[in-house]
Amino acid sequence: MERRAQFSIWYYIAVVGLLLTIQSAFFSGSGAREVSYSEFLEHVTAKRVEAVVIAPDKIHGLLKPPGAQGHEAGDQSESLDPPSKSTPWRLPWGTEAKAERERHFTVVQMDYPGLIADLRAGEVEFRGRIENNFLRNLLLNWVIPFALLFAVWGFIMKRMGRGPSALNLGRSKAVLHEVDPENKTCFKDVAGVDEAIEEVREVVDFLTAPARFAALGAKLPRGVLLVGPPGTGKTLLAKAVAGEARVPFFRMSGSDFVEMFVGVGASRVRDLFAQAKKVAPCIVFIDELDAIGRSRAAGAGVMSNTEQESTLNQLLVEMDGFDPSAGVILLAATNRPEVLDKALLRPGRFDRQVLVDRPSREGRHAILKIHAAKLKLAEDVDLAEMAAQTPGFVGADLANLCNEAALFASRRHAEAVTKKDFQDAIERVIGGAEKKGKMLNPEDRRRVAYHEAGHAVVGYFTPGADPVQKISIVPRGQAALGYTLQAPAEDQYLLSEQALLGRARVLLGGRAAEQLCLGDISTGAADDLEKVNRLLRQVITVYGMSDALKNLSLVEQQGPNFLGQASPLAPHSPRLAEAVEAEHRRMLDEAYAYSTELLTKHRSELEALAEELLREEKVDREDLGRLLGPRVASSAA
Ligand code: ADP
Ligand code: MG
Ligand code: ZN
């Protein structure tokens, strides 16, 4: 902005200067030596003047060439053939004409009636001239004042942060980051989100070595959407992509598209893509995509909705319009993927989503290392310990934590930041975060740990259940406070009765563990309950696997619903409905009893795993084996 404003000022100055030069070169003898009237009269009487042109306010004169001086200039042939081509009012150009220029002079007009007589006596050729001042007047009275006015106005408007005219409103405000050495952000400035980095690294490779990918016939991905809770480093990661890729990078925030004038958003989108295509291969980054990408179905009836809709439509049009081989990659970030319009997520648009999740303990340690590197730390500060004390913190919280700790230290006028400063800072940051409902309190964390450990232990010892891959109590997204990841050993097309029952038992293991170890149950199991109940209904009415209603299928009567998926939830006679209900109840209770019994038997392993989770936040398959011992089938139930 700043640079452009200055550019236009210089531009105006240059134009005005040029006009003045042209004007002076053609329409005035200025530049010629000015002599006094008395000196001029002396020259005339001494017959040193060859010719004069008399204008209303000036006399332009031409002296005789130096060699001719002293000669009697009365010679006829000489006056027929003038010794020089100079005329008194036009200065010769160029350096070789320097001597010629010496002969020119001007005199300011005076009211001297005897001048003509003197000129005659001095044998000077003279003539009159009406000076043509039209262009000069135009320039002085019109062009210059207006040019100045425009220049000053434009400068002020730009200072105010707006374009100089309404014409500029539709122009995109995208900041173009050329391959500049200024952008030093790179992947090693982003910690704790290694998986996300791996995914976007591919984009960087694509852009830096397109030939390699083209040779293999691989196509550039079109759009990559960074999804994750606020403060996890999405914007930072996008900057790092630009820093690493060394290609032009356009950055714009979703809210920049939304202006008070109708149609501005759409034309900004158009302009952004037009600019991007010109410098491809390049990256276009739209931060806070939800500001424009909100579902068109939602929030109808709001006035600005049509504007947002037209902006979104334009974005979709542009995304479909560009040729992937042109090398424009669209990067976007949002912390509310659920509000995005489904059309944005279709193949060919943001077909790749990258989760930028809350960091685990190790991740937090790595982030703390980055941000604490700028601080002067006391001996007693152990960043690993700080990471352990800050479950639920995201990158922005940790950056804030380091800053707060430094502030506490500076308030004490201390030499270095101590452990105590960090402790105080943690309390402060947690206080702030808890107010916003972002952080789990210690009791809740404990409950989540036991709940997840319950799932894992049941999964580990139940025959037929899918093996547990990973357990985590790092909160994910809005809903899940923790999770247990199970994956079947190989692809399965058929599920045995035992596998289905195992699944039901594992799903109930969370609540059973809460009941067993904490003596109380919580709402945290709601999602598990929904799944297990749906599963048991299917076991009874679709797969015909219950004892009382063996081989029964209720799919036919119901008919496929509109998604082509069988819905087994409405049997067709009240008596049958009661029987299904009873079987459902019985199987649910049996599964719960099984899980409780199994957990009671393996209580010590359950507690060990829960404590490990509280410490480490994440436990993977190998550690599970270490903590739980050999995987023997339980004799329970
Ligand atoms: P988001 O865009 O996801 O809301 P930002 O990228 O704006 O988060 O993060 C805000 C600040 O927090 C960053 O500038 C950085 O200082 C810090 N930060 C966030 N995540 C990380 C991370 N993974 N590694 C290092 N610093 C981080
Ligand atoms: Mg951001
Ligand atoms: Zn659960």
Side-chain angles (χ1 to χ4, degrees), residues 414-437:
E415 297 271 282
V417 187
T418 61
K419 184 173 176 173
K420 175 78 168 55
D421 295 321
F422 269 97
Q423 230 92 48
D424 291 345
I426 288 176
E427 256 162 54
R428 168 166 292 195
V429 176
I430 288 180
E434 263 174 2
K435 250 181 246 146
K436 290 185 232 147

Side-chain angles (χ1 to χ4, degrees), residues 262-274:
V262 175
V264 168
S267 79
R268 284 211 171 127
V269 170
R270 216 174 299 129
D271 189 64
L272 176 63
F273 279 85

Side-chain angles (χ1 to χ4, degrees), residues 238-283:
K239 277 189 205 153
V241 169
E244 295 268 340
R246 308 245 142 245
V247 295
F249 180 78
F250 295 88
R251 180 151 54 93
M252 209 160 162
S253 177
S255 52
D256 289 344
F257 290 102
V258 186
E259 199 92 10
M260 54 193 167
F261 299 103
V262 175
V264 168
S267 79
R268 284 211 171 127
V269 170
R270 216 174 299 129
D271 189 64
L272 176 63
F273 279 85
Q275 283 189 50
K277 274 180 210 162
K278 271 186 223 145
V279 297
C282 68
I283 297 175

